[in-house]
Amino acid sequence: MQKERNHPAGLPYLFFTEMWERFGYYLIIGIFFLYMTDTERGGLAFDRKDASDIFGTFIALVYLTPFIGGLLADRILGLRVAITIGGILMGLGYIGLSLPGPTAFYTSLGLIILGNGFFKPNISTLLGNLYNEPKFKPRKDAGYNIFYMGINIGAFICNFFAAYLRNAFGWGEAFIAAGVGMFLGVIIFWIGNRHYKHMDVIKPANPEDMGVGRVFGMVLLPAVVAGFLGWSIPGNVFGSDSTDAFIFGALPVALFYVSLLFRLKPEDKRPVAALLSIYGVVIIFWAIFKQNGTALTTWAESYTDRELPAAMVAPAKQLGMVQDVTLTKDTITLTDEQFRAVKDADGKVAKTYDFPSYYRNLPRDHWPEEGGTTHLLSTEIFQSINPFFVVALTPLVVAAFAFLRRRNKEPSTPGKIFLGLLITALSTLLMVGAVYAGGNGAEKVSGWWLVGTYGVITIGELCLSPMGLSLVSKLSPPRITALMMGGWSLATSIGNKMSGVLASLWDSYSHKASFFWVNCVVSLIAALAILAMLKWLRKIVAEHT
């Protein structure tokens, strides 16, 4: 007799499709900030503030377009076609980043942004559909945790490829590898087509639903107009033109989701209201979490002792993970006391004759003899710590919740989200400790501070992110599930943009502990907000599961 499956047959194919898609995406995310601020190896030589703003805007728009992709998949394209279009566009965008010039750079970012809009909400929806079968429904949370582990396997291995390729060859080769990974994911997706094509059904619209044309006319066109007005306002309302444009442009989309409460059937209004409340709170989580690509990358690059133990140098070099710096004076980029590149009156990067800037805040007893080489762990490898912990801890978290479930003590899905926000607040306190340990940047500190911070926030992430995806799948009215997945992505988008806004303020804090204290306080406020709604949310979840 054939053993009864615990999970749908399509799960492995969606797992590996998402793994390779995330391989490509997180490969470019791991080096994107470094590429934009690089002044010596063919990077774009952007100011750190401008790079943070572009980074935040990019990762925000990447998660804003799923609103469009979810809508088109629900009403016109179907899930599988939308996922395929998205994967192809992203693959082309990743490879396009290898081309020189600002036109290729911004065009490629546009392709990635559009592609993610078609891909991201719809593969999560397809997975949720597979678990809507009665025999799999009790394991939906576990299924999303497994799926989330696939995401992070891709995010873990990609940075080793990125480090090797950019150190051995250059930035362009690393970007091309991201594109190859994405196209591999599309191929795997279609190999598994027979396992989920029966769940890709375009649902008929109800009379009260807005048509696609009406949505574009009443939501997207106003969003574009509002974004243009935000960009055109003299001066800045929220700190930069791009932030003004994004926030103004996001308002019509956010209002569209709120308007659902007035147009849905009475039985659908409470679960959608619960989801909108969750969306509002998790914005804060993403605003803190997504600083791994900006503020924490800055900390790893300039404030962390990255020297490798002698025993690790040879194997690390084989993997391309080593960045060598030599203690000898040469012409280098001139940087100020916060390691920002100094530019002359013409906007060109200023140069000076000195030792490499890495040694500036390294204790003298850690310096080699003049002419000696220090073997450093490449900065982007720190981006693999979080996905490593996700892969390592996911089975433990799943097992822990299963253990509690058998004893009828498992927290509700909203309860897990509360725990995730509380743990996120705790993670920022480790970075406060790191700042004080290094005398506010006077000396480099151990990389274990970052390891510990990523470890703690990963536990928070595992309590929140896959649970949020699961909650959207549980509570969404069936005909607008992909659209509500787009709403989760909208919340992620706004949080991502806020992460860029917060990171762009890094240089304005003379004492860096204040930066992390602000992160801690906003995380605690979000946790208290979800705690205040917990009883109401539990009741709604119980009614719809």
Side-chain angles (χ1 to χ4, degrees):
M1 293 179 63
Q2 187 175 6
K3 185 179 179 181
E4 185 177 349
R5 287 181 175 274
N6 290 325
H7 294 277
L11 176 63
Y13 296 95
L14 297 182
F15 176 99
F16 285 108
T17 298
E18 183 73 356
M19 185 193 82
W20 282 110
E21 184 272 325
R22 292 289 90 180
F23 169 90
Y25 177 74
Y26 282 110
L27 189 154
I28 69 159
I29 287 297
I31 61 175
F32 191 40
F33 187 79
L34 297 171
Y35 172 61
M36 287 191 289
T37 56
D38 174 47
T39 59
E40 297 180 346
R41 296 194 60 194
L44 299 178
F46 290 164
D47 290 335
R48 201 155 63 194
K49 181 178 180 180
D50 292 337
S52 293
D53 187 51
I54 292 171
F55 187 98
T57 302
F58 169 66
I59 63 174
L61 292 175
V62 156
Y63 282 88
L64 183 61
T65 50
F67 165 76
I68 305 170
L71 179 67
L72 292 176
D74 269 343
R75 306 285 179 84
I76 298 174
L77 297 174
L79 299 172
R80 290 171 300 151
V81 171
I83 291 167
T84 304
I85 291 172
I88 292 171
L89 288 176
M90 282 190 288
L92 293 174
Y94 296 151
I95 293 173
L97 287 173
S98 67
L99 302 176
T103 301
F105 176 72
Y106 289 110
T107 300
S108 298
L109 294 185
L111 290 172
I112 297 166
I113 289 165
L114 288 174
N116 191 76
F118 285 105
F119 188 97
K120 194 64 179 173
N122 298 313
I123 194 166
S124 296
T125 299
L126 188 56
L127 178 69
N129 288 351
L130 292 178
Y131 278 92
N132 283 339
E133 294 185 45
K135 62 180 178 179
F136 297 129
K137 207 165 188 176
R139 297 185 177 89
K140 181 173 277 191
D141 276 5
Y144 272 101
N145 265 309
I146 294 168
F147 182 70
Y148 204 67
M149 185 166 65
I151 291 174
N152 285 277
I153 291 174
F156 171 73
I157 63 175
C158 69
N159 291 301
F160 296 91
F161 284 80
Y164 172 74
L165 291 169
R166 73 114 168 175
N167 285 327
F169 301 101
W171 299 108
E173 286 77 2
F175 291 133
I176 290 171
V180 172
M182 182 66 258
F183 289 130
L184 182 57
V186 173
I187 292 170
I188 292 172
F189 178 73
W190 278 99
I191 291 173
N193 177 56
R194 65 189 178 91
H195 296 295
Y196 31 73
K197 65 180 180 180
H198 63 291
M199 287 297 182
D200 182 10
V201 179
I202 299 175
K203 306 170 188 71
N206 283 355
E208 66 269 24
D209 292 338
M210 293 174 68
V212 174
R214 193 178 173 199
V215 171
F216 273 76
M218 295 183 64
V219 181
L220 297 181
L221 181 59
V224 172
V225 172
F228 177 77
L229 290 175
W231 182 276
S232 304
I233 291 174
N236 301 129
V237 179
F238 298 106
S240 71
D241 287 336
S242 66
T243 302
D244 291 350
F246 177 83
I247 292 177
F248 276 69
L251 284 175
V253 184
L255 289 173
F256 168 78
Y257 277 97
V258 174
S259 74
L260 293 175
L261 295 175
F262 301 96
R263 293 183 288 104
L264 291 171
K265 294 178 179 180
E267 64 268 23
D268 292 335
K269 289 183 179 181
R270 278 169 54 79
V272 169
L275 287 177
L276 295 180
S277 301
I278 293 290
Y279 295 167
V281 172
V282 299
I283 286 171
I284 301 302
F285 170 77
W286 295 117
I288 307 305
F289 181 80
K290 289 297 184 178
Q291 291 174 29
N292 61 337
T294 49
L296 293 185
T297 293
T298 297
W299 186 268
E301 175 80 0
S302 301
Y303 298 91
T304 298
D305 185 348
R306 294 183 282 122
E307 184 175 6
L308 286 164
M312 291 182 61
V313 173
K317 278 195 171 185
Q318 292 295 318
L319 295 172
M321 296 162 49
V322 178
Q323 177 185 351
D324 289 333
V325 292
T326 301
L327 188 64
T328 184
K329 288 191 174 183
D330 201 349
T331 300
I332 63 169
T333 297
L334 177 64
T335 56
D336 64 13
E337 69 282 354
Q338 294 197 51
F339 296 92
R340 295 171 295 188
V342 175
K343 295 187 177 181
D344 60 26
D346 296 326
K348 295 182 180 179
V349 175
K351 299 292 184 178
T352 188
Y353 187 75
D354 203 347
F355 294 118
S357 59
Y358 176 82
Y359 293 105
R360 180 189 300 174
N361 60 344
L362 185 71
R364 284 275 179 168
D365 58 353
H366 287 204
W367 287 29
E369 294 184 4
E370 188 164 351
T373 298
T374 305
H375 305 290
L376 309 179
L377 183 68
S378 285
T379 305
E380 61 265 47
I381 299 300
F382 283 92
Q383 297 274 354
S384 284
I385 297 172
N386 164 251
F388 167 77
F389 277 127
V390 171
V391 173
L393 295 178
T394 291
L396 299 179
V397 171
V398 171
F401 285 138
F403 176 81
L404 293 172
R405 183 166 58 249
R406 288 192 296 269
R407 285 157 179 77
N408 295 317
K409 293 183 179 180
E410 183 183 18
S412 64
T413 304
K416 294 173 185 175
I417 293 174
F418 163 73
L419 287 174
L421 287 164
L422 187 63
I423 293 168
T424 298
L426 295 176
S427 74
T428 64
L429 296 180
L430 276 175
M431 289 308 301
V432 171
V435 174
Y436 282 108
N440 191 32
E443 289 189 356
K444 283 179 163 58
V445 298
S446 169
W448 288 107
W449 287 103
L450 275 176
V451 173
T453 297
Y454 280 124
V456 174
I457 202 169
T458 298
I459 297 172
E461 178 191 5
L462 289 173
C463 290
L464 187 147
S465 187
M467 296 305 105
L469 290 171
S470 177
L471 195 63
V472 174
S473 180
K474 288 175 180 176
L475 297 185
S476 296
R479 70 184 183 283
I480 60 168
T481 302
L483 183 62
M484 296 310 293
M485 281 290 181
W488 174 265
S489 291
L490 173 64
T492 306
S493 171
I494 296 172
N496 288 352
K497 180 57 186 172
M498 292 303 100
S499 77
V501 172
L502 289 172
S504 68
L505 299 174
W506 171 267
D507 292 330
S508 67
Y509 289 94
S510 58
H511 201 292
K512 302 308 179 186
S514 301
F515 177 87
F516 295 109
W517 274 118
V518 169
N519 286 346
C520 181
V521 169
V522 296
S523 298
L524 287 174
I525 291 172
L528 291 174
I530 201 81
L531 182 62
M533 298 186 289
L534 202 53
K535 184 176 180 180
W536 173 66
L537 291 169
R538 282 173 176 164
K539 185 176 180 181
I540 294 174
V541 171
E543 290 172 356
H544 291 82
T545 54

